[in-house]
Amino acid sequence: MIKVLFVCTGNICRSPTAEGIFRSLVENDGKAEEITVDSAGVSGWHEGQCPDMRAIQTAQDNGLDISGLRARRVIRDDFKDFDLIVALDRSHLEALEEMRPQFSPAHEKAELRLMMDFAPQYETKDVPDPYYGGSKGFQNVFEMIYAACENLLIEIKGRYKL
């Protein structure tokens, strides 16, 4: 079982969108028994809350239901339980790199990656935070994440011979 965790700030916009998209791609590819997915935030500001309503609506407009997801914060066990932790922007990657030594010994398995490394066609390292913008920003973020998730799935299938 390959375990993937998506991480953003509060786990209410970008990372639950990534979780929903990637889960859908994995299920549609028949790999749900081999790949599991979750999301979390580097902060606990929104723990227990559902995703932002604009993220939910954008997902629904694109055929996905993320309304049942609930925000949580990254915890110590994430660094040993997940094979891959994908940060939605460089600030999240930096926060995860700072958390890791506090949370876990160096031998724990999680590989840290940046989401947009899987979608170089966008020529950016960061998925922008749509929180303070309108619905167009959420759709743009959805499209960026979708492209990255498609390539991430291809990479995982190749790397782990799935």
Side-chain angles (χ1 to χ4, degrees):
M1 176 69 70
I2 307 304
K3 298 176 86 176
V4 180
L5 178 68
F6 296 100
V7 176
C8 71
T9 306
N11 194 213
I12 61 166
C13 295
R14 292 171 283 180
S15 58
T17 296
E19 178 183 352
I21 290 169
F22 195 64
R23 179 175 285 121
S24 174
L25 291 171
V26 166
E27 289 172 357
N28 290 341
D29 199 45
K31 302 296 182 196
E33 297 295 319
E34 299 162 284
I35 302 170
T36 188
V37 60
D38 196 3
S39 63
V42 294
S43 78
W45 297 332
H46 301 286
E47 281 189 272
Q49 295 179 16
C50 65
D52 183 285
M53 291 307 297
R54 296 166 295 175
I56 291 172
Q57 185 61 55
T58 301
Q60 286 177 343
D61 291 347
N62 288 278
L64 299 177
D65 181 5
I66 63 170
S67 63
L69 301 179
R70 294 296 175 263
R72 73 174 184 85
R73 187 175 189 173
V74 172
I75 59 171
R76 162 180 259 151
D77 285 350
D78 291 336
F79 290 92
K80 69 178 176 68
D81 291 344
F82 287 89
D83 299 286
L84 181 61
I85 300 177
V86 181
L88 275 287
D89 71 27
R90 288 173 287 186
S91 72
H92 306 133
L93 183 62
E94 188 176 298
L96 289 163
E97 288 168 345
E98 289 175 12
M99 287 178 195
R100 186 180 193 125
Q102 297 170 21
F103 283 173
S104 65
H107 70 275
E108 290 184 359
K109 69 179 179 179
E111 176 185 357
L112 302 179
R113 296 284 300 271
L114 198 55
M115 174 63 93
M116 292 313 293
D117 286 347
F118 299 103
Q121 68 270 28
Y122 281 92
E123 298 180 351
T124 182
K125 293 292 185 184
D126 301 324
V127 176
D129 188 348
Y131 187 79
Y132 296 103
S135 59
K136 186 176 181 181
F138 278 84
Q139 181 60 38
N140 180 54
V141 162
F142 186 95
E143 292 168 9
M144 292 174 78
I145 292 171
Y146 194 96
C149 284
E150 285 181 314
N151 291 330
L152 171 59
L153 181 57
I154 291 167
E155 181 174 310
I156 288 173
K157 286 169 45 178
R159 181 190 292 185
Y160 296 102
K161 311 288 190 251
L162 302 180

